[in-house]
């Protein structure tokens, strides 16, 4: 394996080197970097042109300029990276660190959400092949996949940004909209749950009633401007997570796994009370990350100790339960500071920029501000990627489900849950893993348009500025991040092939 990884890294370096030469050549010949000065009426125009020519090395051949850039980047091997200067004299390294942090924060979140939602939708549509749900979801997926990014971004800014900001100032209950939402939720849930006519009607009516009563109750409690949760809600969320994770992963009849998840819920409630004061008074990103690591380790320990003969399933179910409870606890602290955030920023959903200038306040207020900045571009990138993941998951699941070993698994008397999750889904993950590798790097490149529409100061803005100014240094910095991401993610995909399917050898 080590020899294979080293060979892949070596060949990848050659690919990156060849691509960097081609890109550098194309950028330096894409326009005139002195055009703005040539059109200037300044009396010292010739002096400015001479200074920029010398500064950017425009009097040298392109390969000489490329060699200077390459030697600076090669210094990263010894810890002395030099990405050069942009046309304005700013260090590219400083610009790159800020832009990469901004874009990766957006792309990683969108990728994770797209994988979770897309795979879930793909599995459900594969199970319900040629049903009404399958046809509706297929139509919506192709619709999302074909949406022009800039047009979808404008719609999101209008309806989820501007109009929501107008509404949140004085929330009013719109019974027409709530009834339509309840009917759509009922139709969707009965299609997912399936069953005979009686079960579908019951699911539809129950869902409509829950949405209508829940919606009215949220308005009565002024939830939209002053949301609250509390320990009872936390316990209910934990119990729902425990039962759901156990049902999906091992089945409710597996008492060992159910016991492990319920113990995880009990530990989560204790952690809720133990960390409440700390997370409210002196929170920090490092503290939250540390508590998250402890939560994961405790869940693994509980699963190993109480899992019995189903240790792996107990660990997985306990992890899912612990992560859901952890997110729920963080969400409660975020909700507690939502009124303070509205006072600091009456129009909370941002449509421009990756951060509110001069925003000050408590940690959770700043956390909400960054989340509001992420919301719209993340939704856009997720919608586009969900289409790819769901279609590949569906086709892969359908192909695997026709194999002989799936029929054998059913003939042995295994439950449909075991057949789908342990046999069909795991074997269908190999092509999906390939898509994940390409999609992550593709999202970084595709974020160029998204960042332009939302005014996001990230890698896309760095690339566009460099290209518009015919300045190769910012463009090459963008290439380094996206190219390296593509290489590493494909290497990870190759390694995961052997993990997912022991028959694969390198």
């Amino acid at each position: 394996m080590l020899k294979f990884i080293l060979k892949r890294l070596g060949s990848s370096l050659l690919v990156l080197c060849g691509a960097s030469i081609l890109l550098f050549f194309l950028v330096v010949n894409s326009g005139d970097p002195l055009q703005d000065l040539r059109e200037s009426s300044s009396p010292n125009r010739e002096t400015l042109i001479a200074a920029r020519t010398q500064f950017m090395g425009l009097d040298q051949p392109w390969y000489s300029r490329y060699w200077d850039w390459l030697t600076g980047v090669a210094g990263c091997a010894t810890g002395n990276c030099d990405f050069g200067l942009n046309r304005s004299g700013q260090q590219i390294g400083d610009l790159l660190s800020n832009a990469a942090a901004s874009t990766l924060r957006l792309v990683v979140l969108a990728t994770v959400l797209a994988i979770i939602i897309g795979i879930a939708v793909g599995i459900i549509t594969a199970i319900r092949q040629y049903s009404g749900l399958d046809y509706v979801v297929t139509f919506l997926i192709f619709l999302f996949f074909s949406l022009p990014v800039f047009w979808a971004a404008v719609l999101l800014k209008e309806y989820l940004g501007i109009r929501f900001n107008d509404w949140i100032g004085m929330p009013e209950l719109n019974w027409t909209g709530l009834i339509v939402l309840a009917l759509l939720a009922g139709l969707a849930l009965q299609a997912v749950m399936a069953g005979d006519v009686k079960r579908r009607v019951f699911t539809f009516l129950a869902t409509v009633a829950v949405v209508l009563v829940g919606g009215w109750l949220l308005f009565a409690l002024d939830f939209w401007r002053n949301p609250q949760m509390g320990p009872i809600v936390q316990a209910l969320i934990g119990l729902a997570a425990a039962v759901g994770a156990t049902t999906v992963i091992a089945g409710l009849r597996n008492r060992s796994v159910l016991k492990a998840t319920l113990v995880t819920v009990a530990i989560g409630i204790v952690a809720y009370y133990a960390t409440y004061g700390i997370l409210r008074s002196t929170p920090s990103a490092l503290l939250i990350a540390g508590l998250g690591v402890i939560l994961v380790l405790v869940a693994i320990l509980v699963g190993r100790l109480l899992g019995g003969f189903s240790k792996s399933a107990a660990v997985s179910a306990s992890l899912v339960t612990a992560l859901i409870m952890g997110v729920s606890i963080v969400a409660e602290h975020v909700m507690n500071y939502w009124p303070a955030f509205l006072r600091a920023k009456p129009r909370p959903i941002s449509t421009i920029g990756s951060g509110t200038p001069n925003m000050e306040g408590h940690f959770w207020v700043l956390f909400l501000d960054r989340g509001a900045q992420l919301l719209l571009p993340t939704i856009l990138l997720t919608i586009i990627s969900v289409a790819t993941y769901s279609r590949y998951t569906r086709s892969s699941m359908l192909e695997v489900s026709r194999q002989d070993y799936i029929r054998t698994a059913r003939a042995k008397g295994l439950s449909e849950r075991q057949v789908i999750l342990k046999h069909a889904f795991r074997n269908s993950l190999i092509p999906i893993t390939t898509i994940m590798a390409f999609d992550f790097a593709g999202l970084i490149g595709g974020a160029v348009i998204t960042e332009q529409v939302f005014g996001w100061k990230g890698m896309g803005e760095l690339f566009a500025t460099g290209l518009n100014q015919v300045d190769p240094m910012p463009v090459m910095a963008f290439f380094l991040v996206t190219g390296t991401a593509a290489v590493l993610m494909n290497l990870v995909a190759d390694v995961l092939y052997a993990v997912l399917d022991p028959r694969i050898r390198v």
Side-chain angles (χ1 to χ4, degrees):
M1 179 65 76
L2 180 61
K3 182 179 178 181
F4 167 75
I5 292 175
L6 292 176
K7 286 176 63 177
R8 281 295 307 270
L9 287 176
S11 61
S12 299
L13 285 175
L14 292 177
V15 171
L16 286 175
C17 185
S20 65
I21 294 173
L22 177 61
L23 181 61
F24 195 95
F25 175 78
L26 292 174
V27 173
V28 297
N29 289 283
S30 63
D32 183 8
L34 301 174
Q35 182 177 358
D36 59 321
L37 296 180
R38 298 186 197 280
E39 297 174 352
S40 173
S41 58
S42 175
N44 61 339
R45 183 182 65 176
E46 297 302 324
T47 303
L48 294 175
I49 290 176
R52 183 179 293 180
T53 300
Q54 182 179 8
F55 177 74
M56 296 183 65
L58 300 178
D59 53 344
Q60 302 175 18
W62 70 269
Y63 48 83
S64 178
R65 296 170 62 191
Y66 172 79
W67 179 254
D68 291 339
W69 172 81
L70 186 62
T71 52
V73 172
C76 294
T78 60
N80 297 314
C81 292
D82 183 11
F83 297 103
L85 304 173
N86 68 357
R87 199 172 76 173
S88 303
Q90 298 172 295
Q91 285 285 346
I92 295 296
D94 297 335
L95 298 176
L96 180 62
S97 61
N98 295 329
S102 180
T103 296
L104 290 177
R105 182 179 51 166
L106 169 63
V107 170
V108 168
L109 181 59
T111 302
V112 171
L113 291 175
I115 291 172
I116 295 173
I117 298 172
I119 289 178
V121 170
I123 293 174
I124 292 172
T125 52
I127 296 172
R128 304 278 192 268
Q129 185 185 16
Y130 302 137
S131 65
L133 173 68
D134 186 26
Y135 287 124
V136 172
V137 171
T138 299
F139 170 76
L140 292 176
I141 289 301
F142 279 111
L143 176 65
F144 293 152
F145 188 76
S146 60
L147 281 178
V149 175
F150 57 89
W151 181 70
V154 171
L155 291 180
L156 286 176
K157 290 170 72 172
E158 172 65 23
Y159 290 100
L160 291 184
I162 297 172
R163 296 200 181 186
F164 177 82
N165 287 334
D166 293 338
W167 175 82
I168 196 65
M170 189 176 294
E172 294 181 0
L173 177 57
N174 185 343
W175 278 106
T176 302
L178 185 59
I179 291 172
V180 171
L181 177 63
L183 293 175
L184 291 176
L187 289 172
L189 191 59
Q190 64 84 24
V192 172
M193 299 299 293
D196 54 23
V197 176
K198 183 178 179 181
R199 179 179 176 180
R200 284 176 179 268
V201 171
F202 175 77
T203 302
F204 172 78
L205 294 176
T207 304
V208 170
V210 168
V211 173
L212 290 176
V213 174
W216 172 81
L217 189 61
L218 291 178
F219 276 95
L221 296 175
D222 193 26
F223 182 84
W224 305 110
R225 293 190 60 86
N226 189 25
Q228 299 290 330
M229 289 180 69
I232 296 177
V233 176
Q234 293 288 350
L236 291 175
I237 292 174
L239 290 174
V243 173
T246 304
T247 302
V248 173
I249 295 174
L252 278 178
R253 293 183 179 180
N254 194 320
R255 300 304 180 189
S256 299
V257 176
L258 181 60
K259 182 173 152 184
T261 56
L262 292 177
V263 171
T264 303
V265 172
I267 295 175
I269 295 298
V270 173
Y272 167 78
Y273 283 105
T275 61
Y276 194 88
I278 301 174
L279 290 176
R280 188 174 180 86
S281 59
T282 57
S284 67
L286 186 61
L287 174 64
I288 295 173
L291 292 175
V293 171
I294 295 174
L295 192 68
V296 168
L297 294 176
V298 170
I300 293 174
L301 181 62
V302 170
R304 296 290 297 176
L305 293 177
L306 303 178
F309 294 105
S310 306
K311 282 186 172 59
S312 60
V315 168
S316 300
S318 296
L319 269 176
V320 171
T321 304
L323 290 175
I324 291 175
M325 288 204 70
V327 171
S328 178
I329 291 172
V330 171
E332 176 165 344
H333 289 279
V334 170
M335 288 181 180
N336 291 337
Y337 280 88
W338 177 252
F341 176 60
L342 287 180
R343 289 192 294 270
K345 190 177 179 183
R347 300 182 66 82
I349 305 301
S350 302
T351 56
I352 294 293
S354 56
T356 303
N358 304 319
M359 185 73 172
E360 296 181 357
H362 194 272
F363 171 84
W364 292 116
V365 174
L366 298 178
F367 183 89
L368 277 166
D369 178 59
R370 295 188 182 96
Q373 302 285 351
L374 274 172
L375 183 63
L376 297 184
T378 299
I379 291 175
L380 179 61
L381 292 178
T382 301
I383 286 175
I384 295 172
S385 295
V386 160
T388 302
Y389 286 113
S390 63
R391 297 312 296 171
Y392 272 94
T393 302
R394 180 183 182 275
S395 61
S396 184
M397 285 283 292
L398 290 176
E399 181 180 357
V400 168
S401 64
R402 299 187 183 99
Q403 301 300 315
D404 291 338
Y405 60 85
I406 298 297
R407 286 193 290 269
T408 303
R410 287 195 172 100
K412 287 166 59 179
L414 294 180
S415 65
E416 193 65 16
R417 177 193 54 78
Q418 290 176 307
V419 172
I420 293 172
L421 295 180
K422 289 189 176 181
H423 295 273
F425 176 58
R426 178 164 181 172
N427 286 281
S428 67
L429 275 177
I430 292 178
I432 301 171
T433 303
T434 306
I435 300 302
M436 293 179 188
F438 283 104
D439 189 62
F440 183 78
L443 271 181
I444 298 178
V448 173
I449 299 176
T450 304
E451 291 179 3
Q452 288 289 306
V453 176
F454 288 104
W456 193 272
K457 301 296 182 182
M459 296 296 298
E461 194 267 343
L462 187 70
F463 174 84
T465 301
L467 199 60
N468 290 333
Q469 296 180 351
V470 198
D471 186 358
M473 297 306 172
V475 178
M476 298 307 293
F478 174 87
F479 165 79
L480 278 179
V481 174
T482 54
T484 303
V487 166
L488 292 179
M489 292 302 293
N490 277 279
L491 179 60
V492 170
D494 287 341
V495 174
L496 284 177
Y497 293 157
V499 175
L500 294 171
D501 191 345
R503 296 172 299 177
I504 295 177
R505 291 291 179 266
V506 296

